[in-house]
Amino acid sequence: MYGVRPEYLELTPERPDAFPGSVSVLENLGTHTLVTLETAGPLIQAVVAEGEEPALGAPAWARPRRSLVYLDGRLHT
């Protein structure tokens, strides 16, 4: 199992080490926005700063910060 908190993901331009998807939901959290991506697998959520949210339906790529990834119940740095 692979896990990463939404605030530890960054949305990036297309790149091979990022999860591709399309923006399906934008939830305003005040100074940040929770972005939900539909992917070929599970939904992915990332937090972005206010004003940096992509448009609904836009393609997007989510990349985890490698030092903050959980794999099989353990933190991998």
Side-chain angles (χ1 to χ4, degrees), residues 20-66:
S22 63
V23 179
S24 62
V25 179
L26 297 171
E27 297 178 59
N28 185 322
L29 303 176
T31 59
H32 292 81
T33 300
L34 181 64
V35 179
T36 301
L37 302 180
E38 284 190 24
T39 71
L43 295 176
I44 294 176
Q45 293 184 311
V47 175
V48 299
E50 182 178 32
E52 294 182 16
E53 59 274 359
L56 281 172
W61 289 261
R63 181 178 168 270
R65 297 183 199 152
R66 296 217 185 266

Side-chain angles (χ1 to χ4, degrees), residues 2-34:
Y2 186 88
V4 61
R5 291 180 177 269
E7 60 269 26
Y8 300 149
L9 285 171
E10 62 180 341
L11 296 184
T12 69
E14 184 176 0
R15 51 187 295 160
D17 63 345
F19 299 102
S22 63
V23 179
S24 62
V25 179
L26 297 171
E27 297 178 59
N28 185 322
L29 303 176
T31 59
H32 292 81
T33 300
L34 181 64

